[in-house]
Amino acid sequence: MTNKMYFIANWKMFGDLRSLNSLDKVIKFSKSKEINKGRLIYCPPYTLISSFLKKFNNCQIDIGAQNCHESQNYGPYTGHVNSHMLKNIGANYVIIGHSENREKGENDQLINLKIRNALKAKLKVIFCVGETLVDKRKKKTNLILAKQIKFGLDKIKDKKNIFIAYEPVWSIGTGIVPKSKNLFETIEFIKSKFKGKSPKVLYGGSVNPNNIKNLKEINNIDGFLIGGASQNSNKFIDIVKKTYS
Ligand code: 13P
């Protein structure tokens, strides 16, 4: 385990104004010594970004969005939000390339454009990669990851504001996590794709308070991207606490 770990809450399409109350516990925790060197980042749905920002006004918890449009400019794109608009309201991170969006047709080229414009807008990018169950069965994991990284990060020289989130599709929301040895090797493989210093590599997929004890032992992981369990403040706090205990 690296010392400064990132815990990123991806709330997906969950949460409303009532959910804000549940964050009080996390705010209190973020100000305690127990947080250790953990960094907390919440990625709520667009509708809650401003409310979360107000709520986290006096603490160190950062905010990100779950996606953005690829254009840098304003434009007639009904229903979309670009990275500049996200930065403008105070978000510092954006998730790009999540498999739930890849499934809906986002390809590597589109993802690359989104990442490049998000970096220009001074957002930090949480770039998701991961193989499907079919890929895994065909032993194509490394091939898929290499392709997603190559094309997703094409023409991007400065990678210091990029985090890579390895999220095997078969692990998301299923309760199944990769075997520790395999996960270690996959993270090593991802890091080996970078000539200079590798971006931080996070793991995502069914992270919960029960499996975190095993996951934290995998010493090349720089943090976690957490879906379901992050919507429950007790579970989210528990994951951080157990990482450092
Ligand atoms: P779960 O933690 O619910 O499996 O979701 C993982 C994920 O998709 C985070 O981006």
Side-chain angles (χ1 to χ4, degrees), residues 55-216:
K55 190 90 188 172
F56 294 151
N57 195 18
N58 279 319
C59 68
Q60 300 282 328
I61 307 175
D62 226 320
I63 291 290
Q66 298 171 18
N67 202 354
C68 61
H69 191 270
E70 62 276 18
S71 173
Q72 241 187 315
N73 306 314
Y74 294 122
Y77 306 115
T78 304
H80 292 273
V81 172
N82 72 14
S83 41
H84 168 75
M85 293 155 98
L86 294 172
K87 186 69 188 178
N88 183 255
I89 56 160
N92 282 322
Y93 289 80
V94 61
I95 297 172
I96 297 179
H98 196 285
S99 58
E100 286 154 11
N101 295 321
R102 289 182 189 260
E103 267 166 30
K104 294 256 174 268
E106 284 196 6
N107 61 25
D108 293 323
Q109 285 68 29
L110 183 72
I111 288 166
N112 177 250
L113 196 52
K114 288 187 179 198
I115 296 178
R116 280 160 49 199
N117 282 331
L119 293 173
K120 278 187 198 147
K122 303 265 179 287
L123 290 173
K124 293 189 170 73
V125 171
I126 302 151
F127 168 43
C128 298
V129 295
E131 82 286 4
T132 63
L133 189 57
V134 175
D135 299 328
K136 176 176 143 64
R137 288 198 173 130
K138 290 186 181 160
K139 304 210 180 313
K140 282 188 171 170
T141 298
N142 287 358
L143 203 74
I144 297 292
L145 294 176
K147 175 182 158 290
Q148 290 175 340
I149 291 168
K150 180 170 189 277
F151 293 111
L153 299 182
D154 191 29
K155 300 194 192 89
I156 298 171
K157 287 210 175 71
D158 186 355
K159 302 190 177 65
K160 71 173 184 302
N161 286 327
I162 292 177
F163 293 69
I164 297 188
Y166 170 55
E167 298 207 308
V169 180
W170 48 273
S171 184
I172 295 174
T174 59
I176 303 168
V177 297
K179 292 199 179 79
S180 296
K181 181 175 172 289
N182 294 349
L183 187 48
F184 175 84
E185 286 170 3
T186 304
I187 302 272
E188 279 305 279
F189 175 77
I190 292 171
K191 291 191 171 180
S192 78
K193 292 284 113 192
F194 299 91
K195 288 204 182 75
K197 199 170 173 246
S198 156
K200 292 192 180 305
V201 182
L202 318 176
Y203 168 73
S206 295
V207 177
N208 65 41
N210 298 324
N211 56 30
I212 192 67
K213 288 230 166 218
N214 284 336
L215 290 169
K216 75 164 193 185

